[in-house]
Amino acid sequence: MSRKSECVSLGPTQPDLRSPLLGPGAGVSNNPEKICIDDMLQRYCGEFGFWQLRHFVLTSLAWALEAFHTMVMIFADREPAWQCSSAGCSSEAKSVCQLEPGSWEWIGGARSSTVAEFGLICGQKYKVGLVQSLFFGGCMIGAGVFGHLSDSKLGRKGSLLVVCIMNAIFGCLTAMSPYYWTYALLRLLTGFSTGGVGLCAFVLATEPVGPTKRGIAGMSTFYFFSGGIAILSGIAYIFKSWRSLYIASSIPSVLFVVIILPFVSESPRWYLIRGKMNWAMNTMHRIAITNGKHLPDGTLLALDEEANSVTDKVHRDSKTESESRAAITGSLVDVLRLPLTRIRLLLAVAINFLCSVVYYGLSLNVVNLGTNLYLNVLLNAVAEMPAFFLTAILLDKFGRKPLAIGTQWFSGVFCIVGSLLKGYGTWKIFRMVCGIMGIFGMAGTYNLLFVYTVELFPTVVRNAALGCATQAAQMGAILSPFVVVMGNGIPFVVFGVCGIAGGILAFYLPETLNKPLYDTMAGMEDGEISRMVV
């Protein structure tokens, strides 16, 4: 079955049928064309012109905000260096736990980090990991909540607005925490709002992009996340106090809401499934005009299930149909009800969980290089970018599925090799290289999974499914620190097994390269069945 037969249908011939967006003097089309968004982008509006480029860059800046609120814990919760302050202190001691209280002091003062101010050392050291787990736990909850809200009433842009405002508020309140448990609670709330930033920004940035350009565009969003980490290392170097650092890392969220977000458009796909046909068509006309293209007056948007119908048996007034259409909604219940999407969701959840364990686990292991903390975080962020670049180049050449398998196995093999190497002498350097190569491969996988997951589900449940997969990834992030503390070669063994297992599971996912991005559950089911028949 051709793309045209899937997405295009000609409505019934009606006299004096005019575009609902134009006035009485508009041209008349006796044979209106109803096509899905992907076909309209490819044939009339442009897949990735200036409009999509501007929209993509402005929206993807939100990823830097997510990086700020996520990675700020590296600097705020660090254990500062210490020095002796009295004769009863020995500078040769490996830990302050071996020294008498009052015989030593923190370099930089007690306000340099939460560890120093709240006394999170010795028997209280577990509280540092607890705060990190609470943050990722909040991300897991927030991803599900805002994934649903962005598919339903709030929309993509509305949800992004809400989470950015919440991040700014909770971030500034965190800087005023008087006690540890207040700090932990606010980090949990910050995680709740942060969990919705990435997925809302990703879907909003990629949905108006044409099908042949969507993969590279989706992969490119993560440059903004890595760039945010790199910028954060510079911010942390300037603001040494953890309280001032939280304020400095929260102000950009306010600037994004006030300066950037007003120039970002809502997704036309969301308008379409919510029955806001006029708004969707207005957006498509703006895309065409800005890209220097022409969208014919008689061309109208249609959902997959409508475009798949060659014969329209129900005759309606064109203007009424365009201005109001019953909103189509969906939820995870609908995803689980349909066998096709149920299998995809379970596989996506499992793969995202395994990849997150490896990605965050290796990130924590790399921090143990013993170098300057600020420089180390900067180098870690920069090291991920070549993986993003190579994966983006190969994405449309080899497809999503082969890359998902290959990058996970690449990471898994290096982790297995790293587990066989000694942890001292020259072998320590080789183990470090294996860790870097492991995170290089998994960074590409982690990036690819967002694109892959988005294309596996229709618009009506896309953010809900992506939110569910993101929840699984956050659960992996919560567990990864506990794997790292096992020490020796055990973490590398676990990471290697997770990488290999994730690659095996990816075998059971369908290829989505150059396949239509469906709008409804019925449209996906009909389209996939037709494809199987052909």
Side-chain angles (χ1 to χ4, degrees), residues 287-303:
I287 294 175
I289 293 173
T290 305
N291 291 345
K293 305 285 186 177
H294 174 66
L295 180 60
D297 298 338
T299 303
L300 301 175
L301 281 174
L303 295 169

Side-chain angles (χ1 to χ4, degrees), residues 82-166:
W82 57 273
Q83 63 185 5
C84 294
S85 60
S86 67
C89 172
S90 174
S91 59
E92 297 179 359
K94 296 182 180 180
S95 172
V96 294
C97 299
Q98 302 173 353
L99 304 176
E100 296 181 4
S103 63
W104 59 275
E105 63 183 5
W106 297 111
I107 298 178
R111 292 184 175 272
S112 58
S113 76
T114 58
V115 172
E117 183 163 342
F118 298 137
L120 307 181
I121 56 175
C122 304
Q124 301 295 313
K125 195 171 184 178
Y126 75 93
K127 291 183 178 180
V128 177
L130 179 60
V131 171
Q132 183 176 0
S133 296
L134 287 174
F135 174 83
F136 286 118
C139 289
M140 182 177 65
I141 300 172
V145 172
F146 288 105
H148 173 72
L149 290 176
S150 63
D151 279 335
S152 55
K153 295 182 179 180
L154 288 181
R156 281 77 161 116
K157 181 179 177 180
S159 296
L160 187 58
L161 171 66
V162 171
V163 294
C164 287
I165 293 175
M166 292 175 64

Side-chain angles (χ1 to χ4, degrees), residues 38 42 124 142 144 170 172 198 205 314 320 439 445 463 481 504:
D38 278 352
Q42 287 183 307
Q124 301 295 313
F170 292 143
C172 291
V314 182
T320 303
I439 199 171
T445 308
N463 257 24
I504 294 175

